Amino acid sequence: MSTQARPSREWRLRAERDVRDVRDVRDVRVDAGHEPGARDERRPAPARLISVVVPVFNEADVLATTHERLTAVLETLPFAFEILYVNDGSTDASAQLLDALAARDPRARVIHFARNFGHQVAITAGIDAAKGDAVVVIDADLQDPPDLIPDLVAKWLEGYDVVLARRAIRFGETWFKRLTAAAFYRVLNRLTDVEIPVDVGTFA
């Protein structure tokens, strides 16, 4: 299922339900004198936490801007949040800048790798360490727009297990890059039994 993301015409969202485990996630409690679905005033709903995982490799030039953009967007949501930066063995000043960010902002946490293990390993480590009810993954270089995070969260609140941001228009890329990217996804889908959505990265 795809819906047009309103904040930017360059992106659209894809939301998927896990068909292997279809459940109603609402907590229906039946007590004497309470109808199913009625709100139990004695038990307020627990606060939800959104985790944002940001893999980092030599991004010292943009980290301050990235943190500012992320916090500005996340503060518009009615949820608490944490930003988990995973320093994937950066050789520039990223480690020191991340430690300084975490010291100033208690909502920021940092994982430091002893060496570079790769982008996907950094994402996996971040997801494993995340404490949130939902996890958003976004790269540190701001090529993925943080302004779309509220749309991702909105789809999650509708009951979707996985929400993906798909690039609808590739600006600033050569015809060769666009051709090879399209070919990559189609070849990959022929080699696996799992459908890999075309033009979808790690922004999800």
Side-chain angles (χ1 to χ4, degrees):
M1 175 180 178
S2 298
T3 59
Q4 185 66 33
R6 291 185 297 275
S8 171
R9 63 186 179 86
E10 300 177 30
W11 292 81
R12 61 175 178 268
L13 304 182
R14 170 180 174 136
E16 298 178 347
R17 298 183 191 276
D18 188 345
V19 297
R20 295 167 298 177
D21 187 15
V22 179
R23 296 176 294 178
D24 186 351
V25 297
R26 292 172 298 177
D27 181 15
V28 178
R29 179 182 176 88
V30 181
D31 288 332
H34 287 75
E35 293 296 329
R39 181 178 178 181
D40 188 343
E41 299 293 343
R42 298 167 301 174
R43 299 187 60 188
R48 286 175 164 174
L49 176 69
I50 303 295
S51 296
V52 179
V53 172
V54 187
V56 175
F57 180 69
N58 292 344
E59 302 286 359
D61 291 341
V62 297
L63 282 175
T65 303
T66 298
H67 189 71
E68 182 180 351
R69 289 275 305 277
L70 285 173
T71 54
V73 170
L74 293 167
E75 285 172 353
T76 66
L77 297 174
F79 307 115
F81 65 87
E82 64 171 1
I83 304 174
L84 184 55
Y85 295 97
V86 184
N87 175 29
D88 188 17
S90 296
T91 56
D92 63 357
S94 292
Q96 293 82 1
L97 290 172
L98 289 173
D99 286 340
L101 282 176
R104 294 195 305 267
D105 190 342
R107 300 167 299 186
R109 295 195 290 139
V110 183
I111 295 175
H112 292 292
F113 285 175
R115 63 175 178 85
N116 179 254
F117 286 92
H119 188 255
Q120 299 302 324
V121 175
I123 290 174
T124 301
I127 292 174
D128 287 345
K131 300 177 180 179
D133 300 286
V135 178
V136 177
V137 177
I138 187 171
D139 287 342
D141 57 11
L142 293 176
Q143 290 191 34
D144 302 327
D147 293 343
L148 281 182
I149 291 176
D151 288 319
L152 298 174
V153 173
K155 286 297 180 184
W156 168 63
L157 292 174
E158 289 179 17
Y160 293 97
D161 298 302
V162 179
V163 185
L164 307 172
R166 173 184 290 170
R167 186 175 299 186
I169 302 174
R170 291 179 173 271
F171 288 114
E173 295 184 356
T174 65
W175 66 267
F176 182 76
K177 173 65 181 297
R178 294 194 297 268
L179 178 64
T180 54
F184 168 79
Y185 284 105
R186 284 158 180 79
V187 170
L188 186 62
N189 273 321
R190 288 183 177 273
L191 297 177
T192 179
D193 294 331
V194 178
E195 180 187 358
I196 308 296
V198 177
D199 292 330
V200 167
T202 55
F203 184 30

